[in-house]
Every structure is written in C-alpha cells, then in structure tokens.
Amino acid sequence: MADETNRNLDREALLFHITGRPGKIEIAATKPLTTQRDLSLAYSPGVAAPCLAIQRDPSTAYDYTAKGNMVAIISNGTAVLGLGDLGALASKPVMEGKAVLFKKFADVDGIDLEVDTHDVDEFVNCVRYLGPTFGGINLEDIKAPECFIIEQRLRALMDIPVFHDDQHGTAIIAAAGLINALDLSGRDIGDAKMVVNGAGAAAIACVELVKAMGMRSANVTLCDSKGVVHRGRSDLNQWKSAHAIDTEARSLQDAMHGADVFLGLSVKGAVTAEMVAAMAPQPIIFAMANPDPEITPEDVLSVRDDAIIATGRSDYPNQINNVLGFPYIFRGALDVRARTINDEMKIAAARAIAALAREDVPDEVAAAYSGRRLRYGRDYIIPVPFDPRLIAAISPAVAEAAMRSGVARKPIIDITGYRRELSARLDPTAASLQALSAQVINNPKRVAFAEGEEEKMIRAALSYRNAGYGTPILIGRTDKIAATMAAMGLGGLEGMEIQNAKLSTQTKPYTDYLYGRLQRQGYLYRDVQRLVNSDRNVFAASMVMLQDADAMVTGTIRHFHSCLSDITKVIDQTPGELVFSVTLLIARGRTVFIADTNVHEAPSAQELADIAIQTAALARRMGHEPRVALLSYSTFGAPLGRTPDRSRQAVALLEERKVEFEFDGEIGVHVALDPDLLTLYPFCRLSAPANVLIMPGLHSANISSKLMQKMGGASTIGPVLMGLSRPCQIVPMDATVSDIVHMATLAAAEAGR
C-alpha cells in the first residue's frame, strides 16, 4: 500500500509540474509597461539615470533595483533531498521549489541557479562573481565535505550573506527545539550531555551552533558510521576532528548511556529501544533522519514515557522543518542589507522560534489541529510552519542581531513599525489554506465527488486520498471508473469508495427523504425515484444530507446554476443566511473577496447587506480583517442612479445592524482599491483599501472575476458556495484538478467546523 501511494504521489507530482506553464516559477514585472513612456522609463533612455546613480554610489543599487529582495538558490545537485548525486539539471525542481517557499513565506524573490560542476574551485569562481545581482546566496544540496569549503570560501570572498541551508537551517530549528526541551526538562544547556549521530554537514552545523549557545565541548559526543569521534582516531577530516573528544565510549550504544539529549541526522533504525532506556531521566530525542527517523516515537514511548521527542516528519508532533527558518532569516538579513549571516543572527533566530512556541496559539493555527491542544509542552516545542506570526517574530530578531553585531549596512530605527510592516507584507490566505488542509488531515472527512466518472474528478479524488484528507467517494459505475483509471495509468481504488446510484442499498431511504421534501412541489414518488437514480448531484447531496458523506463537490460537466438547482432540491439553506457564492482573487500577495459571483442577478438592498455580513465572516475565517466596499459605478453620489441607490440602502441597513467590521458605499472599485484615491474622501469609513467587494449585480461580479482570472493574472479560489446547511461546493467547468482538490478540502474543513 505504501509503495502504491508513493507511485501515485510520483504521478501526481509529474502532472503538477507539467500542467500549464512547465515548472513552478516565472518572472513578473513590478512596473507598468503599457505605453511608450513606460518603456522609455523602464529601458532606454530613462534607465541610464539609475545606472549612473549606482555608478556614483553602489549602495543605491538596493534602491533602484530588485537586488535587495533577491536571493540566488544555488546547487550542483550532489546531495539532492536524500536522493544523492543527481547532477545539476536534475536538482532544478528542488531549487525552484525553494524559490516558491521563499516567496510564499517571506516575499523574498528567489532565483535558482544550477552550476554543472563537481569541482570546488570552479563552483566558487562561478558564484563569487554573482554578488552584484543578489542580496544573498542560499547554497543547497551540496555534499559534504565540499559544502563546508564552498561556503567558507564564498563567505570570505563576498560581501552579501552566504548561507548553506542544509547545514544552518537544520541547526537553527533543532536549536530552537532544544532550547524548549531543555526548559521543559529543567536542564541548563551548560550542563546537558548530548550525543549526535551522523557527522555530515547538518550534524556538524548543529554541534557548532549549540556550542556557540553555551553547551560545553566535552559534553558533546559526535558519532559517525564508524562509531564515536574520539581523539584516538586517525581517520578524521578537519571538520570531524574539531569535535573529537577524550572518551572511553567507542560505539553509539556506549555514548547513549546516561545522555540527556540525542540528536540524530543519520539513518533509519540507528537507535534501539535499549539505547533510549539507558539515557538519563526525561531524555530529549530528536530523531531527524528522513523520511524515516532513527527511532520512531512509538518505540521511544514503549520504554520511556518521560521522553521529549522531535522528528523531521509532519505526521508526528514537533517537526524540525527548515521552512520555519530560512525564509525569515533571509528576510531579516536582506532588510538590513547584512554583509553575512553570523552566529549571533542564527542564535537570535533560534531563540525567537523557541519563544514563539511559548505564546498562545492563534485560533487559525489551533483549528488545524482539531482534537489536539497546541500549547507549550512536550508535544509542542516548535511552532508549526503555517503560523502567520513567524515572519514578525524571526525576521526582526535576525535584523536586530545583525545590527548589534555590526554586519548591518542599513539599520532599522523603528523595529516595532518593522514588525507591523512584516505582518502586513504577506497575504494570510496562504496560511489559512494550509491551516485548513492540516485541519482536515487531523480530522479526515468523507467527500462525495459527484461526477465520479470524469477524469478530472477521479484524479482529484486520488489527490484527496493521497494527501491524507480522508475517503473520497466517487459517484458512478465501477467498471467505467476502473477503465478510466487504467487508461490514465493511475493506481488502484484502495482507500476510495464507489457508489453507483442504481445499485445502492440507500436509494430507497434517499427517495423517501426527497419525496417528503418535493411532494407538494409537483413531484410524484416515481419522479423523485428517477432523480435519485439518474442525477448524481441529487444522489451525492442525499448522501451528505443523510450523513453517509460529510461533504460533496461537483461542477465539471454542468453549469453552476444547474448543479445548484439539483443540490437545493435536497439541502436547505442555513436559517437566517443567504445562499450565494464568493470568489477569492489572489494577485501579487493580495486577496480580494468578491460576492456574489453566481447566484443573485440583481440583489436587493437587504440581500446586499446579508451578502456583506456573510462574506466578512468568511474573510475573518481566512485570516483577514474585513474592509467591505459596496460597489457601484457611482462614488458617494457621483453620478446618481437606481443601482447606486441599492448600495446606499444596504449601507444604511449595515449601520442599523451595528456590524463589527469596516464598510462603506456606494463606491467605485477604482477608489475602493486605491489608497491615494481614498484620501479624496476623508469621510469614508474604510481605513485602508477594501478586501471585500460586494458587487451590485451578478453581471459585474461574474464578469470582473473571470476577466481578472483570464487576463489579469490572478489566481482564484472558488466560487465558494455560502449559506447551505450542509457543506457542498460547485467548481467551474474549467476547474483544474488542483482547483477541485482545494474546493473538496474547503468543503471537508467546513464539515469539521
């Protein structure tokens, strides 16, 4: 089953990378290039002015170019993700992935560069001349010991940060976890005894960092594949010999006796239960080998119920994950134009991460772990990767350390303001979606994929299953679904379910229920029976209504309104709410909620007010503080007309209801989204550009959202169906597999909520 799951994941990953524009990154212009004047400013002749300014003062390159927000992600592919030496070209998907993480988590622009050489001198000579282009260098997936030499030489040659994440990123996150584990077990770092198994780049970086933080050299025992690294060995390179100690211990088993801390960066199964049993009281065990740890938490707990355990895996508590560090470390370093990333900055990052784990966990993060309390303790010593507070906690700490240690070239005067700026820099939607995904993984749901014979639905159902979100239920004929899967070369049906309406034992209860709803609307029993047997939307909605499924998703072969008509035959709207849809537009790190994009052709003032209230609540659930604009072609009475009247009346209704969010209208979209234009209306209630746009009619909402998606380069989520008493989502007919999975996950999360 595990092998089949891995094969399915491989197929999904290949489809993910090849679909649409190949790869995961592109270049986007930050300035308009639509007129001749734009071109003359961006290129010749206007570009000469910043060129000459930089020649006069090289530091202005940070002001006139993107240098200050660009990091080169550089590898020769000699140690790729535990896969070994794949070569420079084969490492490119990993480096692109790293660029995506930089952008997503810290708004840093990463450019991947794959250097096709194993020769250290050639590699160094290639990279050293890239300094004028980038604000920092992130070395990645370079094997030891070459990675030590390359980093050391480049740091000496370049005046921008050079950071090998495989070494220092791992060390910083592990150190953060260790700070809290020592605290919880009542230990002092100066007295603790630690055993490190594995003597590669990451392990040695961990040893060096914890020693810089105060752990005594004599208390750290390093082990490699030949046993303890002691001073009697003659086979040690300079990096291992720097950490050799005088000891009688010769094996890992010897070293583990009485140890307070075990830190593993080696191989699966390196540690036995007997070794754990021989450790000191309240042992701290960081088994970080990937994908399988040196010892599983279950095996540790079978002999020691007092242990504090961390791994590199997301399916156990306390994941040591580098994404907690490198984006935010570079963010802080870039913002003060640091010359390097030194030990003071690494320690500051580790302490900031550790401190964040001791704070109250926000609702959006806690919700992702339904059934588990995220509170500082043995099972929560490290923040989770999608915690939105990470950037405002780590980057300022790194920046301040750079200033204190004298490597910052542009000090930040107002550090409090800097924290606020960082908090606002990233769109919280990404963190919210990750939190929803984690929530569903922790509370899996059964989701009915109504159009179960369609290729896209089948692929989406497989992705839903493989992601661990729960059980997908395909509505359709088994032979047809199996034939489609075989033709696509997809895996088996394990962990999935197929429901054929004509053969289901639930057809009669569904028919009886639906007849009770529709008998006074002109339907005979046989009419309802035909609906249940032949309409997959009706069947899937009946499954959800009678709790044979938790949620449903449909829409790839029928228009939204047809699907909604089918579903509402079965499922009522939530009392006191309106049924409508919201489309999320995401562009350049900013999310705007647009409503109603699919249901109400010309909503009344009352309906506009209801839509505003429900959409504002959705925005809050997604991590945004709603600022609602009731849109029109008119802005505060100029010009007058019947359509603006409805928006004005809706504003009056919101005032009467004393809602707890910012709102105003009627207002033009150009004003609602432009902070400079908003200043022309000092009486406007919106303190900043709107992020919730309530459209005056279906035509404007539907056209604008689709136009932005097709022409404006915006990504979309939705339309998200609101107001039904059971979780159902309808995707557009042109939805991708990823779109369907997103909507299924949203429906599953709503079922859990």
Side-chain angles (χ1 to χ4, degrees), residues 460-654:
L462 286 168
S463 295
Y464 184 88
R465 179 199 68 182
N466 295 340
Y469 295 146
T471 303
I473 305 167
L474 291 167
I475 311 300
R477 294 163 290 182
T478 304
D479 57 344
K480 181 85 179 285
I481 293 169
T484 302
M485 292 178 69
M488 291 188 294
L490 300 175
L493 293 167
E494 298 86 0
M496 302 174 67
E497 196 177 304
I498 296 177
Q499 286 287 339
N500 185 335
K502 291 183 179 178
L503 303 178
S504 172
T505 59
Q506 293 299 99
T507 299
K508 187 174 187 313
Y510 295 165
T511 302
D512 291 344
Y513 165 76
L514 191 55
Y515 182 59
R517 285 177 59 84
L518 301 181
Q519 59 191 358
R520 293 184 180 273
Q521 298 178 37
Y523 286 83
L524 299 175
Y525 188 87
R526 63 174 177 264
D527 299 327
V528 173
Q529 192 171 40
R530 191 179 303 113
L531 276 175
V532 172
N533 283 334
S534 61
D535 193 307
R536 291 171 187 165
N537 285 333
V538 170
F539 186 85
S542 298
M543 290 189 73
V544 175
M545 196 65 209
L546 273 67
Q547 300 183 3
D548 292 326
D550 298 303
M552 70 170 282
V553 62
T554 187
T556 60
I557 59 174
R558 295 175 69 185
H559 287 291
F560 183 97
H561 290 88
S562 297
C563 295
L564 183 61
S565 176
D566 294 337
I567 292 168
T568 52
K569 286 182 175 73
V570 184
I571 297 175
D572 285 325
Q573 69 188 65
T574 301
E577 293 192 1
L578 203 63
V579 174
F580 65 98
S581 69
V582 179
T583 297
L584 283 68
L585 287 181
I586 305 170
R588 302 188 61 77
R590 180 178 178 182
T591 293
V592 175
F593 297 76
I594 299 180
D596 163 27
T597 51
N598 282 88
V599 180
H600 296 275
E601 186 172 356
S604 66
Q606 178 69 49
E607 288 170 333
L608 287 172
D610 290 341
I611 290 168
I613 291 169
Q614 288 175 240
T615 308
L618 174 65
R620 277 212 171 110
R621 291 202 298 274
M622 300 293 289
H624 299 260
E625 184 54 36
R627 295 183 297 278
V628 178
L630 290 100
L631 297 182
S632 175
Y633 60 79
S634 169
T635 298
F636 302 123
L640 295 171
R642 284 179 298 174
T643 302
D645 280 344
R646 287 189 285 112
S647 295
R648 278 196 296 273
Q649 291 166 20
V651 168
L653 289 171
L654 292 174

Side-chain angles (χ1 to χ4, degrees), residues 261-511:
V261 181
F262 169 78
L263 194 152
L265 287 148
S266 53
V267 294
K268 173 185 177 181
V271 174
T272 65
E274 290 75 20
M275 293 180 190
V276 173
M279 293 179 71
Q282 299 188 75
I284 298 166
I285 299 168
F286 285 15
M288 297 183 290
N290 260 322
D292 298 301
E294 286 81 359
I295 185 170
T296 66
E298 293 89 345
D299 287 341
V300 171
L301 294 172
S302 70
V303 292
R304 297 297 294 265
D305 61 3
D306 60 342
I308 299 173
I309 310 164
T311 71
R313 291 176 51 148
S314 61
D315 52 350
Y316 291 117
N318 301 327
Q319 183 190 18
I320 306 299
N321 189 332
N322 283 22
V323 80
L324 289 168
F326 70 84
Y328 313 112
I329 293 164
F330 268 100
R331 177 78 275 152
L334 291 172
D335 289 341
V336 294
R337 301 179 187 175
R339 293 184 177 87
T340 187
I341 295 174
N342 55 29
D343 281 349
E344 290 88 344
M345 296 160 74
K346 297 174 198 172
I347 293 169
R351 288 176 175 159
I353 295 167
L356 187 59
R358 303 187 193 193
E359 296 182 11
D360 288 337
V361 178
D363 290 343
E364 63 266 33
V365 177
Y369 285 81
S370 50
R372 248 185 70 200
R373 293 176 65 188
L374 283 186
R375 181 174 295 175
Y376 180 55
R378 293 176 181 275
D379 288 337
Y380 183 66
I381 59 173
I382 290 285
V384 288
F386 49 79
D387 191 320
R389 302 169 300 169
L390 285 164
I391 190 169
I394 302 169
S395 300
V398 171
E400 287 184 292
M403 291 186 283
R404 285 195 304 270
S405 58
V407 298
R409 285 175 285 202
K410 184 190 175 186
I412 295 171
I413 305 303
D414 181 7
I415 204 73
T416 302
Y418 176 54
R419 285 194 179 91
R420 285 196 298 269
E421 175 192 322
L422 290 170
S423 295
R425 186 165 192 148
L426 294 180
D427 189 317
T429 302
S432 298
L433 291 174
Q434 290 167 332
L436 287 176
S437 297
Q439 177 182 342
V440 177
I441 289 171
N442 282 278
N443 188 15
K445 296 297 177 185
R446 292 163 52 82
V447 173
F449 291 74
E451 300 153 335
E453 294 180 1
E454 301 303 311
E455 179 181 328
K456 281 198 293 190
M457 277 288 180
I458 293 171
R459 287 172 52 200
L462 286 168
S463 295
Y464 184 88
R465 179 199 68 182
N466 295 340
Y469 295 146
T471 303
I473 305 167
L474 291 167
I475 311 300
R477 294 163 290 182
T478 304
D479 57 344
K480 181 85 179 285
I481 293 169
T484 302
M485 292 178 69
M488 291 188 294
L490 300 175
L493 293 167
E494 298 86 0
M496 302 174 67
E497 196 177 304
I498 296 177
Q499 286 287 339
N500 185 335
K502 291 183 179 178
L503 303 178
S504 172
T505 59
Q506 293 299 99
T507 299
K508 187 174 187 313
Y510 295 165
T511 302

Side-chain angles (χ1 to χ4, degrees), residues 75-92 94-95 118 140-144 166 290:
S75 180
N76 61 3
T78 53
V80 179
L81 284 181
L83 299 173
D85 187 350
L86 300 185
L89 183 59
S91 75
K92 186 172 177 64
V94 180
M95 304 311 125
H118 285 56
E140 192 79 15
D141 291 353
I142 303 169
K143 70 181 179 72
D166 298 321
N290 260 322

